[in-house]
Amino acid sequence: MDAFTLEKIEFDAVRRILSGYCRCSLGKALALKISPSTRPGVVRNWLEQTSQMVDALRDFGLPPFGGVTDITEALARAVPGHGGGAEDFSQIASTLEGVANVRAYLQALPEEMSHLHELGRMLADFNPEVEAIRTIIGPTGEVRDDASTHLRELRSKIAETTTKIHEVIHSYLRNPEVKKLLSSANVTLHGDRYVLPVRADNRGRLPGVVHRESNTGQTVFVEPNESVQLNNLLVDLHDHERMEIERLLSELGLKIVAKAEPINTAVRTLGKVDLLAGKAQYAYQFKMVCPDIVDFTKNPDTQTPENGSAGFLEFFQVRHPLLEALAHKRSEVSSHSSDDRDVVVPIDIRLGSDFDILIITGSNTGGKTVTLKSVALLVAMAQSGMHIPARRGAKMPVFNDVLIDIGDEQSLEQSLSTFGGHIQRLKYILRQAKRNTLVLLDELGSGTDPDEGGAIGQAVLDELQNIGCLALVSTHFSILKAYAMNHDRVDNASVEFDTQTLRPTYHLRIGTPGESHAITVAQKLGLPGRVVDAARKHLGQRGGQLRKALRKTGAARRDAEDARSAAAEAEFQAMTHGQQLQAKIDDVNKLKAEFATWLARLAEMKPGHEIYIPSVDQKGTLARLELHKQIAVINVGSLQLEVPLTELMPDLGQQAIRRELTEHRRTAVEKSQETAEKLLEVENQLKEARKFEKLHKERAKSFDMWLSRIARLKIGDEISVNCPPGHAKVVSVDLPGLRATVEIKGGQVKQLSLQDLFPQDGPFAQKTESSKKAGGKRRRREDSPARSKPKPQQDRPIKHGQIQGKAADKNRKKVLATKPGEKIFVVPFNTAATLVRIDESKGKAIVLRGAFEMQVALSDLEPVGYEKDRQ
């Protein structure tokens, strides 16, 4: 996997956390080097190993790693002639004993833990080698005296000779004449010889061998003649001892070398088992789950909006592992924290099911970058065989790569700006990305002019769609929010922001584009009101892309996403209850097996067998079994008791189990029905949302086309008009007044409303390709005297059938309650616009639509959302 990505998502930090859960240096070393695999079979195998180790940890505790160390270097030195010492062999023996302990642990696990049993089979039996080492090497790491007969004799002689030397030397110290010659009354070792410190001026007065002088020259160290022979003998004995030890260790080395390959295999396996135990502890402590690995489809042509992309990713209740580790660390310091930031807010995220590219927008510090990093980090963890911090039911494919562009990539050495660094990274990503690649782009298009950056961002998104990969993109650009609404397989998401507290909530809402809230934050922080008002005005004068995006994300989509979440939760609960039910069924099967075992033992019981009688709380001996009466006759002291066999049957809790099974079955049925209802609700709401978005896209496209034609009007243009003869020449245009003056054939000058220009329906509408094809049929209808008037389309300005009576008063009150800057529906134009101000005395209002500021009668305005009821 891409090294740059692993660095940016801080995968090394996860490695360090994992290594902290390993118990020996073997596992720690592996933990610091783990990396994601891109082979689905390998990833599945790793995850199954981790899952089985989690079960083993829960039911049987951790594997015993006492005494296990990395003996790689010790094994190399153990080869005869390579300088192996007793400590090396002691370390080897301790580790081989650890091999036996881990092997016994793995072999004792249930048979269904097949992956762990397979690891256990890779650990050979090294008892002969351990016994051979323990025979030579003692528990403190020294060669034992009884390692051989010759060594025992040598060490005995060494002890005797040493004693004699001590006696000779100390006899000199007790001699008053000798003590006068010494600089101090003590014995010193020179190498392995005992010497006396004699003052330099007494040199030669003590018969013996001078071995050296002190640094000051005032003392010479003399070995008395009486101890010279004894010291020579002692040196020879030590040489013989060293040679005997080398011989013994060489013999041990030959035995170890003969087993070098299985020992090395066992050492590597111990490291794997320790790494698995570390993964299991990490997963167990933070309640992580094993994701389901799904396959990419074989045929790219099957990728359609109906059946999803080539692969899909679906995570529920995702928690960033590093943030969670930090929160856990803080909780250990203090039992409770008043800082909300210590709480890791989980998010739900998906890709590939109904969209392949998710564009995340919202305020700064709202969690956009954390979302990108969380997804990338969880993918890397899963493909490294680790469980992930999410809720059960997580699904993901195995990606061939995860490519990320994040952070400030400027380089002074390469003379690259931040923008240049991002472009270099984007170039690499687009070159490397394939269909089974996960791409994550943070602040796409930033670092340059917003218009050009937005254009580059759209082009990059086009290319990602052409590649067919899954992608998460964060941005602040409105044009990219609109891109999601105008392209299939692309969707918006937002990180929520509390404008009251000026703090993000870190919740991710799919289907709804977010806002940066910069002006709101600036106002809360005390920016002058006139500046805030001017900022809002400048914001309102920007293009209609943002308004189009926000308009499309209505209550229908939010309800659909909420229903989807509820359905997923219901499905999860049903799955949980199903698993609990299966566990109870397994318990029942176990009880049946125990009962069958009890019956078999009962048939084998003979007179004289000891039996415990619960009703009298005493033990007795069996006299006889009367199976036809279902009783046992038992001798208790001098009495004979007839005891029903049912009383002697062990209490297996059958009644309680049956009650629990009944309750679980009932709950499972209810959860299944609830899940089915939720899924149906989701399906209906999603259909409604798609239908509404499709209708809006068609209307918005048609209206924007009409609006762009109006914006391009020039004096002298020949245009189509909604009056005979159907075309005219533009004389003048009054955009604020929504009027235009045109010259009709014959020199007649006429003033028309803007809505009469470029008509899209009626007898003077421009003919489209579809209308040309249906020309014959239309002419026949037009020739019919009973032809009704054409129904006005809703894609151009229409005349307002004004509301009357109480409904009109109610509508007027709602319109007057609308605040400047909020959305309001302009009926003649069948579109939403931004309210600038209301002049109630004149019955007029000023609204902003795109680059046009228009004056509209209050009777032509309705609150946003009311137009749905009219349709």
Side-chain angles (χ1 to χ4, degrees):
M1 189 173 286
D2 183 58
F4 178 88
T5 297
L6 295 180
E7 176 190 351
K8 286 298 182 181
I9 64 177
E10 301 175 87
F11 190 63
D12 270 342
V14 174
R15 288 170 171 155
R16 289 192 295 272
I17 293 174
L18 177 60
S19 70
Y21 287 96
C22 297
R23 303 174 65 196
C24 70
S25 58
L26 295 168
K28 291 180 183 294
L30 288 179
L32 293 173
K33 294 188 295 185
I34 64 167
S35 59
S37 172
T38 57
R39 293 182 292 173
V42 172
V43 172
R44 286 191 177 96
N45 186 65
W46 286 352
L47 288 172
E48 288 170 3
Q49 286 180 338
T50 303
S51 297
Q52 290 182 10
M53 185 58 79
V54 169
D55 293 339
L57 167 66
R58 182 189 63 239
D59 298 334
F60 305 101
L62 286 168
F65 277 96
V68 174
T69 55
D70 186 357
I71 57 174
T72 305
E73 295 182 0
L75 287 171
R77 290 192 295 266
V79 177
H82 285 66
E87 297 83 359
D88 293 323
F89 287 96
S90 179
Q91 185 181 9
I92 291 171
S94 295
T95 299
L96 294 183
E97 287 172 340
V99 169
N101 294 333
V102 173
R103 180 167 171 262
Y105 170 88
L106 296 175
Q107 289 178 339
L109 295 175
E111 287 298 327
E112 54 266 24
M113 297 184 181
S114 56
H115 290 284
L116 302 186
H117 276 278
E118 183 179 349
L119 289 173
R121 287 190 289 271
M122 299 173 68
L123 300 174
D125 182 5
F126 299 108
N127 281 336
E129 287 71 31
V130 172
E131 290 178 3
I133 294 175
R134 292 306 184 199
T135 301
I136 304 300
I137 310 297
T140 59
E142 297 290 337
V143 176
R144 297 166 60 97
D145 292 345
D146 58 353
S148 71
T149 303
H150 185 42
L151 182 62
R152 183 169 58 248
E153 293 174 352
L154 286 172
R155 286 185 172 175
S156 177
K157 291 179 180 179
I158 288 172
E160 291 176 3
T161 304
T162 301
T163 300
K164 289 179 180 179
I165 293 173
H166 285 174
E167 290 175 353
V168 170
I169 290 293
H170 284 88
S171 68
Y172 278 95
L173 291 178
R174 290 192 296 270
N175 188 328
E177 295 301 323
V178 173
K179 290 176 69 175
K180 294 178 182 179
L181 305 176
L182 303 178
S183 60
S184 60
N186 53 40
V187 179
T188 305
L189 273 175
H190 176 73
D192 52 2
R193 291 177 175 268
Y194 293 94
V195 294
L196 295 172
V198 179
R199 292 197 304 271
D201 55 348
N202 292 326
R203 188 186 190 113
R205 299 182 65 182
L206 179 66
V209 178
V210 176
H211 285 278
R212 66 182 178 88
E213 293 183 356
S214 65
N215 294 333
T216 61
Q218 296 180 359
T219 302
V220 293
F221 295 93
V222 179
E223 181 183 10
N225 285 335
E226 287 187 52
S227 63
V228 169
Q229 294 300 322
L230 291 173
N231 272 324
N232 288 341
L233 176 60
L234 184 62
V235 170
D236 289 341
L237 290 172
H238 278 303
D239 286 341
H240 288 298
E241 178 193 29
R242 184 166 52 253
M243 293 170 60
E244 178 65 9
I245 289 175
E246 288 177 356
R247 183 187 70 81
L248 292 171
L249 295 182
S250 293
E251 290 180 357
L252 276 182
L254 290 173
K255 293 179 180 179
I256 297 301
V257 169
K259 291 281 190 176
E261 185 174 348
I263 289 177
N264 283 321
T265 299
V267 170
R268 290 192 297 270
T269 303
L270 284 179
K272 293 178 182 178
V273 175
D274 188 29
L275 176 62
L276 275 179
K279 289 178 178 178
Q281 289 184 83
Y282 188 17
Y284 193 78
Q285 179 167 357
F286 288 95
K287 299 179 180 178
M288 298 183 185
V289 300
C290 178
D292 294 332
I293 300 300
V294 298
D295 292 321
F296 280 96
T297 56
K298 304 288 184 183
N299 183 7
D301 295 335
T302 61
Q303 181 176 340
T304 65
E306 287 75 23
N307 61 19
S309 68
F312 70 96
L313 175 149
E314 193 171 43
F315 290 158
F316 302 98
Q317 300 294 289
V318 170
R319 292 126 33 214
H320 192 291
L322 301 184
L323 294 180
E324 191 164 49
L326 180 61
H328 176 72
K329 186 175 181 180
R330 288 175 175 172
S331 68
E332 288 181 338
V333 176
S334 175
S335 59
H336 63 278
S337 174
S338 59
D339 192 346
D340 293 340
R341 289 172 294 182
D342 288 344
V343 178
V344 181
V345 178
I347 61 171
D348 293 347
I349 195 160
R350 67 181 188 274
L351 283 172
S353 53
D354 47 340
F355 52 84
D356 302 327
I357 300 176
L358 186 63
I359 299 176
I360 306 175
T361 51
S363 63
N364 293 321
T365 71
K368 300 189 297 297
T369 302
V370 171
T371 298
L372 267 61
K373 285 187 173 183
S374 296
V375 173
L377 202 48
L378 265 62
V379 168
M381 290 173 66
Q383 293 189 205
S384 300
M386 300 175 66
H387 286 187
I388 58 175
R391 199 193 68 191
R392 279 188 301 169
K395 300 178 181 66
M396 59 167 279
V398 173
F399 295 97
N400 76 311
D401 213 340
V402 177
L403 302 173
I404 194 169
D405 177 37
I406 196 169
D408 186 354
E409 298 310 319
Q410 64 178 333
S411 171
L412 299 179
E413 294 180 356
Q414 300 178 16
S415 301
L416 287 177
S417 65
T418 300
F419 176 72
H422 283 298
I423 293 300
Q424 291 290 337
R425 181 62 182 169
L426 280 175
K427 181 176 71 173
Y428 173 81
I429 289 174
L430 296 178
R431 185 173 64 246
Q432 295 293 120
K434 299 178 178 60
R435 288 179 61 252
N436 54 348
T437 301
L438 176 62
V439 175
L440 304 107
L441 306 177
D442 192 33
E443 301 297 348
L444 177 60
S446 62
T448 187
D449 177 78
D451 291 336
E452 295 188 20
I456 292 174
Q458 292 181 85
V460 170
L461 294 177
D462 287 340
E463 186 63 21
L464 292 178
Q465 281 204 292
N466 291 335
I467 294 170
C469 62
L470 301 182
L472 282 174
V473 177
S474 73
T475 184
H476 283 289
F477 288 167
S478 301
I479 191 69
L480 297 187
K481 303 176 190 179
Y483 182 96
M485 294 303 170
N486 296 322
H487 290 77
D488 293 330
R489 310 297 299 168
V490 185
D491 208 342
N492 273 311
S494 60
V495 286
E496 293 182 340
F497 186 84
D498 190 335
T499 56
Q500 298 300 317
T501 62
L502 300 184
R503 293 182 63 178
T505 66
Y506 303 107
H507 289 107
L508 183 72
R509 182 175 285 278
I510 294 177
T512 305
E515 298 182 36
S516 298
H517 298 288
I519 297 178
T520 302
V521 172
Q523 183 180 24
K524 294 283 186 179
L525 295 177
L527 193 68
R530 63 182 182 280
V531 178
V532 172
D533 292 340
R536 293 192 189 280
K537 183 177 180 181
H538 289 310
L539 178 66
Q541 292 174 352
R542 294 164 61 182
Q545 294 281 9
L546 176 59
R547 289 156 187 79
K548 184 190 299 182
L550 293 178
R551 178 67 182 84
K552 291 176 183 176
T553 55
R557 183 60 194 273
R558 288 194 297 271
D559 290 344
E561 288 299 322
D562 291 341
R564 179 191 287 270
S565 299
E569 180 64 26
E571 187 176 11
F572 170 71
Q573 293 295 336
M575 179 181 67
T576 301
H577 281 281
Q579 292 172 343
Q580 292 174 351
L581 177 60
Q582 185 59 49
K584 290 299 179 183
I585 292 174
D586 293 341
D587 289 342
V588 169
N589 292 333
K590 183 179 178 181
L591 291 177
K592 289 179 179 179
E594 292 181 6
F595 182 69
T597 301
W598 177 79
L599 285 178
R601 290 177 180 174
L602 183 65
E604 295 173 356
M605 292 181 68
K606 304 296 182 183
H609 281 185
E610 187 177 69
I611 295 178
Y612 172 72
I613 308 173
S615 60
V616 296
D617 193 22
Q618 291 188 29
K619 291 182 179 180
T621 57
L622 178 65
R624 64 184 179 277
L625 286 173
E626 297 183 3
L627 296 178
H628 62 288
K629 295 182 179 180
Q630 295 292 298
I631 64 171
V633 180
I634 302 174
N635 296 321
V636 181
S638 59
L639 300 175
Q640 268 196 349
L641 301 179
E642 292 184 352
V643 181
L645 291 181
T646 54
E647 185 178 338
L648 301 179
M649 186 173 65
D651 181 14
L652 303 179
Q654 296 91 332
Q655 294 298 327
I657 289 292
R658 290 192 186 98
R659 287 194 297 271
E660 289 186 20
L661 275 176
T662 301
E663 181 62 24
H664 274 290
R665 287 194 180 96
R666 183 187 63 78
T667 305
V669 170
E670 291 178 355
K671 290 294 181 181
S672 179
Q673 293 175 346
E674 181 182 348
T675 301
E677 292 172 359
K678 291 289 185 182
L679 290 174
L680 181 60
E681 182 182 355
V682 169
E683 184 178 353
N684 291 336
Q685 291 188 348
L686 284 177
K687 285 181 179 178
E688 184 66 25
R690 292 193 188 104
K691 179 180 178 182
F692 182 74
E693 287 184 7
K694 182 179 180 181
L695 176 63
H696 180 81
K697 283 181 181 180
E698 293 174 352
R699 290 181 175 178
K701 183 178 180 181
S702 178
F703 181 77
D704 281 353
M705 186 181 298
W706 177 86
L707 196 60
S708 64
R709 288 180 177 177
I710 295 295
R712 293 196 303 268
L713 276 179
K714 296 179 182 177
I715 306 301
D717 284 353
E718 287 284 345
I719 63 172
S720 59
V721 294
N722 195 29
C723 63
H727 56 85
K729 181 186 294 185
V730 178
V731 176
S732 64
V733 180
D734 179 11
L735 291 179
L738 304 178
R739 309 290 294 176
T741 303
V742 298
E743 181 181 343
I744 302 175
K745 186 177 180 181
Q748 181 183 359
V749 176
K750 192 172 184 178
Q751 196 174 55
L752 300 176
S753 170
L754 289 185
Q755 63 183 329
D756 290 323
L757 308 185
F758 305 108
Q760 298 177 11
D761 58 59
F764 303 109
Q766 291 180 319
K767 301 296 185 293
T768 61
E769 290 297 325
S770 58
S771 64
K772 290 177 181 178
K773 292 179 181 179
K777 185 176 181 179
R778 182 177 291 112
R779 280 194 297 271
R780 286 194 298 272
R781 289 183 179 177
E782 289 172 355
D783 293 340
S784 172
R787 180 179 62 86
S788 60
K789 291 184 178 180
K791 183 180 179 181
Q793 293 193 11
Q794 303 299 312
D795 299 332
R796 61 179 292 276
I798 61 174
K799 294 183 178 180
H800 185 197
Q802 296 183 354
I803 309 170
Q804 302 294 328
K806 294 182 179 180
D809 295 337
K810 185 178 180 181
N811 179 74
R812 182 182 179 88
K813 290 180 181 179
K814 289 183 178 180
V815 169
L816 293 175
T818 305
K819 297 179 180 178
E822 293 182 350
K823 297 295 180 182
I824 197 161
F825 191 75
V826 184
V827 176
F829 289 89
N830 194 41
T831 187
T834 303
L835 179 64
V836 178
R837 63 181 179 275
I838 294 177
D839 188 346
E840 187 177 359
S841 60
K842 295 181 180 180
K844 301 286 185 181
I846 304 297
V847 298
L848 188 67
R849 167 67 182 179
F852 299 102
E853 193 173 88
M854 299 174 288
Q855 180 174 284
V856 185
L858 290 181
S859 58
D860 285 335
L861 298 178
E862 294 175 359
V864 169
Y866 184 76
E867 73 280 3
K868 292 182 184 178
D869 300 331
R870 297 173 62 254
Q871 295 168 5

